Every structure is written in structure tokens, then in C-alpha cells.
Amino acid sequence: MKTIIKKVDPNQIDEKVILEAGNILKQGGLVAFPTETVYGLGANALDEEAAKKTYAAKGRPSDNPLIVHIADMQALEEIAVNIPPETEELAFHFWPGPLTMIFEKSGQVPYGTTGGLDTVAVRMPSDVIARELILAAGGFVSAPSANTSGRPSPTTAQHVQEDLDGKIEMILDGGSVDIGLESTILDMTVTPPMILRPGAVTVDMLEKVIGPVSVDETILGSESDQAPKAPGMKYRHYAPKAKLTIVEGTLREEVLAIRQLAYAAFREGKKIGIIATNETEIFYTHGLVKNIGSRENDKTIARNLYAVLREFDEEDVSEIYSESFAVQGIGNAIMNRLEKAAGHVRIFAAPIVKQQKYRRIIFLSNTDTSRGPMAAGLLKHQDLNQEYTIDSRGLVVLFPEPANQKAEAIMKSGQMTLEGHSSIALSADDLQEDTLILTMEDSQKWKVVSEYENIKNVYTLNEFTEDNTEIPNPYGQPLTAYGECYEIITKLIEKLTNKLNTFTQGGE
């Protein structure tokens, strides 16, 4: 089968294209089309055989119900019975829009569409292309997400083509969708109504209209063995090809834990992905980092989630680590989809963070132009089991200076460089609990201890490495003195590396 792809401008809809697509649906074919949530795979909702084609194209279990899309309220009365009075208020506020409601079905709706249930899920989309297609197709279009079952839902026509090209008759390309997550599903057959799937219409929004609303307790829990009453409840959904793990904790803990996991993977030669945000992207140093949006605007995260998961498939990563998001508002829907995509695999950040004693190492000298920068440069070239931010600082820095030329010459002889170094004075901001300060001389150590209160983790480099060899100050001496200093620091740095690496093996 050759899949026809037609571009449709929502601001200037080509009626001929819509009529062509509507006729395909009337004849029992399948057409993918945009909605405000995700792209849907349309079929005639009242045709049992069309439902079977939908399940076959997606590879979807046949007990997973389809949502019937309508374009007016009169259509609801034809496919649902015993419609609760609250429905009118909900429809007034949220239809057309990203809310699906579940009712008792009428005899017009085949069990193939409802997954064998006596209930039917109904939505009235706001996307103009979707609404025109529904009317052209006869008013009742069943439409799950237009992707292979289990994969991230499509938010562009290209995503649909990747999964369903050659399996369906037509794709209507209306550009990127607006919301990016599937609709909220509200079960109207129970009292109070129950949210079975969170979406852009939140609990607070619903309760302002109809009062108390309950939430299915499995939304952020494990899968149920019961027949799903709504799409996305029973089976693993929205999943990328790589294993996805959600890292949970405070935001700082999550970033630090993911950094550690990414560094460990880097050392093993693995290619991993990281789902980050505007606020955290800059803190990651290894792995393939994808910015999913801003924590200040959850809607950007929702809009980008599925696209980012699909991008990781193209990058062929072996694992993906994701930060977690606040379970409030649309964040509830974001975490629901992430949980499904991860198969409910979560790890806590705090135990991982505690495995690393130090995260930053600062070498302290007088002017930060020779010994400190040399030590920092040498450590950066060591094989460290854990990732550290490695810097140098000075006690007496009146203005920024480049590295001493003789120190630079010695480093170049060892295939390293201090080019671009600029001296920086030690400040109180450098003295954090997870920072190790290593001084070149004993007097420098005691100066820091005397000037700052409650200071921890300050040692001479000799003291910390348990080596009594003094580090000479080569300032004002010939190049050979810098070479001798370099040799001494090199041996101390090798001992420092061994000691730091014991921390990953339970050493103290």
C-alpha cells in the first residue's frame, strides 16, 4: 500500500483534500490527521472492520478501546446513553478541546471500537482540520494516536510516516500539534467522575466546573491486569527504544545523580541520553543532552516530550535518564507519560549522590599562576573513577594573570597546556561541603582555616596524599626548577588519583 501524504493549511483548508480523506474513511480506510493533542489514526467509528484495521496497523491489543471523535453535541446523543447532567457543563467549558469523556455506549457503536466494553470514550477536538475531517467522514471517527503501539505518540506528520508508512491510506500533514500530550480522560459512568488519564484539562479545572473529581490510583503506579477502560491504562506506552529511567529527588540531587551515571557510562564507552530542561541543561558534561523545555512553563515540556523521545531513537542511545517533574497541573500528565515510557522504572537520586564524597577539587597556591594550575592540569589528565570539577585558585590575586610562561613550557613538554588560564582569587563561594581544597604549602592551608569559619576539607597536597615530599616554589628560578616542581607534583597527583579512586570502592 502506498500512503498518500497531503499538506493541509489550517488557515486555508483545501476542501478537496478533506473530501478525499473523508471518502477514504467512509470506505473503511485509515487516515492519520492532526489534533490539538497528538496526531490521530482515523477510522469510521461505527465500522467494526475499520476498527480491526486500526488495531492491525498499530499492532495494538484489541481490548484497548478507541476514542470516538465527534464535531457536535448532537452526535454524542447518537452514540451514548444515560448521559449524566454534568456533561453539559463540562462540554460548555472544555469542548471542543483536550477532554475525553466515557459514557455508556449506544447500540450504534460496535464492540470492536470500544475494546469489548459497554462504554464508549468520546472527544470533540478543537483542531480545525480534525473537525472538518470528522464532518466529511460522517461525524464519527475513532482515532487512537497514529503511531506503532507502545512507541512515543506522534506530534508531527513525519512521526506518523516513520511508524505507519505503507500501512494506512493517507496522512494529513497539518504541521506540529499544539499541546503534545493526549487528552484527559474522565469516566462519567462513576460518581464522582474519575480521571483515568491525566492531560491538559487538570483536576483543578474540572472541579471548578462540576465539584469533586476522583483520580484513578494507578495513574502513577504499576500496570493493571484488568481490561483497560481507557486508552493508555494497561499496556506500556509512549516508550523509546532505549531503556528509560526516571531519577527522583530534589532537582540538585537529580542533576548530580544523572551526572554520575552519565560519567560512569562514558567511561564504559556507552552512549546515553539525558532529558534535561532550560534550567539544568548547562550542568551536564557527558551524554547526549536534550532540552525538553522550561520548568517555568510546563506546557513547553508537554509539547516536546514525545519528540525528544523519538529523537533519542534516531541517535541510537543505549539508555536514557530523565529528571522528574512536579506532579501538579499538566505536570501530572507529563509524569504519567514518562512513567509509562519508562515501564515504571525509577531510581532515587540521594543514594547515588552519597556515593561521591567530593565533587570539586581546588588546588590553592599564592598567585594561581604556576603550581596550582600545573596540579589542576595534571589531575584533569588522570583516569578518575568519578567526575570532578577541577580548578585552581590563589590567595593573593590582585588582577587576572595568565599562567607563568615557564610553567606553560613545562606543561607543553608533557603534551598538556595552560593556555587560556587566568588566575582567580579564592572566595567564600569556593568553600562548599563537597569541595576538596588542596594547598601547595602548609602556610596556605592555615591562612584559609584562620580566615574562614567552619571550614572543612582543607589539606596540603602532601598531607592528603600521605607523602612528605615538599613542593618547591619555582617562582623566579630557571626553567629547570619548574621541571623539578613538575616532577614532584606529577608523583603527588598519581597518589591523589589512587586515593580518589578508592572512594568508589568504599575507601575513606
Side-chain angles (χ1 to χ4, degrees), residues 469-490:
T469 307
E470 289 189 9
I471 304 172
N473 185 352
Y475 181 73
Q477 302 295 315
L479 185 63
T480 54
Y482 283 85
E484 291 169 4
C485 178
Y486 172 87
E487 294 298 330
I488 291 171
I489 293 176
T490 297

Side-chain angles (χ1 to χ4, degrees), residues 66-176:
L66 308 175
I67 296 174
V68 178
H69 292 66
I70 60 175
D72 55 58
M73 286 300 293
Q74 183 179 345
L76 176 63
E77 296 174 2
E78 295 183 43
I79 58 173
V81 297
N82 299 323
I83 299 171
E86 304 99 315
T87 303
E88 187 175 349
E89 275 295 302
L90 289 169
F92 177 78
H93 283 86
F94 304 116
W95 275 5
L99 175 65
T100 295
M101 290 186 272
I102 294 178
F103 308 98
E104 294 178 33
K105 81 177 191 69
S106 74
Q108 277 205 63
V109 186
Y111 282 108
T113 297
T114 65
L117 300 175
D118 291 319
T119 54
V120 61
V122 186
R123 184 165 95 85
M124 187 187 295
S126 61
D127 184 276
V128 292
I129 298 173
R131 289 168 59 78
E132 289 295 323
L133 176 63
I134 292 165
L135 292 171
F140 304 97
V141 175
S142 61
S145 55
N147 58 298
T148 301
S149 187
R151 289 210 65 210
S153 297
T155 55
T156 67
Q158 182 182 348
H159 295 161
V160 180
Q161 186 178 5
E162 288 170 2
D163 282 12
L164 301 179
D165 191 23
K167 298 179 181 180
I168 63 177
E169 281 79 359
M170 180 180 281
I171 299 171
L172 297 181
D173 182 355
S176 296

Side-chain angles (χ1 to χ4, degrees), residues 324-341:
S324 66
F325 301 94
V327 185
Q328 60 187 35
I330 199 170
N332 193 26
I334 293 167
M335 283 303 295
N336 169 261
R337 304 315 194 273
L338 267 178
E339 288 273 9
K340 295 280 186 180

Side-chain angles (χ1 to χ4, degrees), residues 23-280:
N23 285 331
I24 290 172
L25 294 180
K26 286 178 179 179
Q27 294 167 16
L30 304 179
V31 175
F33 62 97
T35 77
E36 69 276 22
T37 56
V38 298
Y39 270 73
L41 178 56
N44 182 349
L46 307 185
D47 182 346
E48 186 98 38
E49 292 304 311
K52 291 179 182 178
K53 289 182 182 179
T54 302
Y55 292 120
K58 283 179 59 69
R60 179 185 177 108
S62 60
D63 66 345
N64 207 359
L66 308 175
I67 296 174
V68 178
H69 292 66
I70 60 175
D72 55 58
M73 286 300 293
Q74 183 179 345
L76 176 63
E77 296 174 2
E78 295 183 43
I79 58 173
V81 297
N82 299 323
I83 299 171
E86 304 99 315
T87 303
E88 187 175 349
E89 275 295 302
L90 289 169
F92 177 78
H93 283 86
F94 304 116
W95 275 5
L99 175 65
T100 295
M101 290 186 272
I102 294 178
F103 308 98
E104 294 178 33
K105 81 177 191 69
S106 74
Q108 277 205 63
V109 186
Y111 282 108
T113 297
T114 65
L117 300 175
D118 291 319
T119 54
V120 61
V122 186
R123 184 165 95 85
M124 187 187 295
S126 61
D127 184 276
V128 292
I129 298 173
R131 289 168 59 78
E132 289 295 323
L133 176 63
I134 292 165
L135 292 171
F140 304 97
V141 175
S142 61
S145 55
N147 58 298
T148 301
S149 187
R151 289 210 65 210
S153 297
T155 55
T156 67
Q158 182 182 348
H159 295 161
V160 180
Q161 186 178 5
E162 288 170 2
D163 282 12
L164 301 179
D165 191 23
K167 298 179 181 180
I168 63 177
E169 281 79 359
M170 180 180 281
I171 299 171
L172 297 181
D173 182 355
S176 296
V177 302
D178 181 37
I179 295 173
L181 293 180
E182 297 83 357
S183 61
T184 302
I185 297 181
L186 186 65
D187 186 358
M188 300 298 292
T189 67
V190 297
T191 304
M194 177 181 287
I195 291 180
L196 302 183
R197 183 179 72 187
V201 178
T202 65
V203 174
D204 290 342
M205 293 164 67
L206 291 168
E207 289 187 336
K208 284 180 182 178
V209 176
I210 60 170
V213 170
S214 61
V215 179
D216 187 272
E217 59 187 25
T218 66
I219 278 178
L220 290 179
S222 58
E223 311 293 351
S224 168
D225 291 329
Q226 297 179 351
K229 197 169 186 179
M233 291 190 69
K234 181 177 180 181
Y235 302 98
R236 188 179 182 220
H237 275 61
Y238 325 119
K241 295 174 184 176
K243 176 186 176 184
L244 171 64
T245 300
I246 301 169
V247 181
E248 294 189 334
T250 65
L251 186 56
R252 180 178 184 275
E253 287 174 340
E254 290 176 9
V255 171
L256 292 177
I258 292 173
R259 275 186 59 144
Q260 284 175 234
L261 293 165
Y263 182 73
F266 164 75
R267 281 173 52 81
E268 294 174 8
K270 295 180 180 177
K271 186 178 182 182
I272 69 150
I274 297 172
I275 296 178
T277 59
N278 286 357
E279 294 79 5
T280 62

Side-chain angles (χ1 to χ4, degrees), residues 254-496:
E254 290 176 9
V255 171
L256 292 177
I258 292 173
R259 275 186 59 144
Q260 284 175 234
L261 293 165
Y263 182 73
F266 164 75
R267 281 173 52 81
E268 294 174 8
K270 295 180 180 177
K271 186 178 182 182
I272 69 150
I274 297 172
I275 296 178
T277 59
N278 286 357
E279 294 79 5
T280 62
E281 181 183 18
I282 61 171
F283 298 114
Y284 296 109
T285 53
H286 292 90
L288 180 63
V289 183
K290 299 281 187 184
N291 183 343
I292 198 173
S294 172
R295 290 178 179 272
E296 297 297 315
N297 183 357
D298 287 349
K299 290 181 180 179
T300 61
I301 296 173
R303 188 178 302 120
N304 294 326
L305 175 59
Y306 292 142
V308 163
L309 291 177
R310 283 180 171 267
E311 285 174 15
F312 280 128
D313 286 349
E314 296 172 8
E315 301 284 357
D316 196 29
V317 297
S318 59
E319 290 183 71
I320 304 168
Y321 293 102
S322 175
E323 300 167 7
S324 66
F325 301 94
V327 185
Q328 60 187 35
I330 199 170
N332 193 26
I334 293 167
M335 283 303 295
N336 169 261
R337 304 315 194 273
L338 267 178
E339 288 273 9
K340 295 280 186 180
H344 303 285
V345 175
R346 293 177 285 180
I347 56 175
F348 292 107
I352 298 172
V353 173
K354 288 179 181 177
Q355 293 173 9
Q356 184 157 350
K357 190 171 184 178
Y358 303 114
R359 299 187 178 280
R360 187 182 184 200
I361 299 172
I362 295 178
F363 292 96
L364 183 65
S365 57
N366 287 330
T367 60
D368 189 31
T369 56
S370 57
R371 290 180 293 175
M374 287 167 66
L378 284 162
L379 185 60
K380 288 176 182 178
H381 284 79
Q382 298 297 307
D383 185 20
L384 295 165
N385 291 345
Q386 293 178 318
E387 182 183 22
Y388 301 91
T389 300
I390 302 169
D391 293 310
S392 64
R393 292 290 186 268
L395 283 175
V396 185
V397 179
L398 301 180
F399 52 86
E401 289 187 81
N404 181 287
Q405 290 183 351
K406 293 176 182 177
E408 166 69 354
I410 292 296
M411 291 294 283
K412 281 186 175 179
S413 71
Q415 307 302 310
M416 291 171 280
T417 182
L418 299 179
E419 186 177 350
H421 173 78
S422 183
S423 59
I424 300 175
L426 183 74
S427 70
D429 291 339
D430 293 319
L431 307 176
Q432 303 298 320
E433 285 189 7
D434 57 1
T435 300
L436 174 64
I437 308 288
L438 297 174
T439 69
M440 300 295 107
E441 300 172 7
D442 202 51
S443 60
Q444 296 161 355
K445 168 190 169 181
W446 292 115
K447 184 171 179 61
V448 173
V449 171
S450 64
E451 289 188 4
Y452 297 95
E453 295 181 0
N454 302 317
I455 185 65
K456 297 178 181 179
N457 305 328
V458 180
Y459 307 87
T460 66
L461 179 55
N462 313 76
E463 177 187 7
F464 194 79
T465 57
E466 302 176 32
D467 186 314
N468 293 326
T469 307
E470 289 189 9
I471 304 172
N473 185 352
Y475 181 73
Q477 302 295 315
L479 185 63
T480 54
Y482 283 85
E484 291 169 4
C485 178
Y486 172 87
E487 294 298 330
I488 291 171
I489 293 176
T490 297
K491 291 177 181 178
L492 292 174
I493 291 299
E494 289 173 355
K495 290 187 175 183
L496 173 61

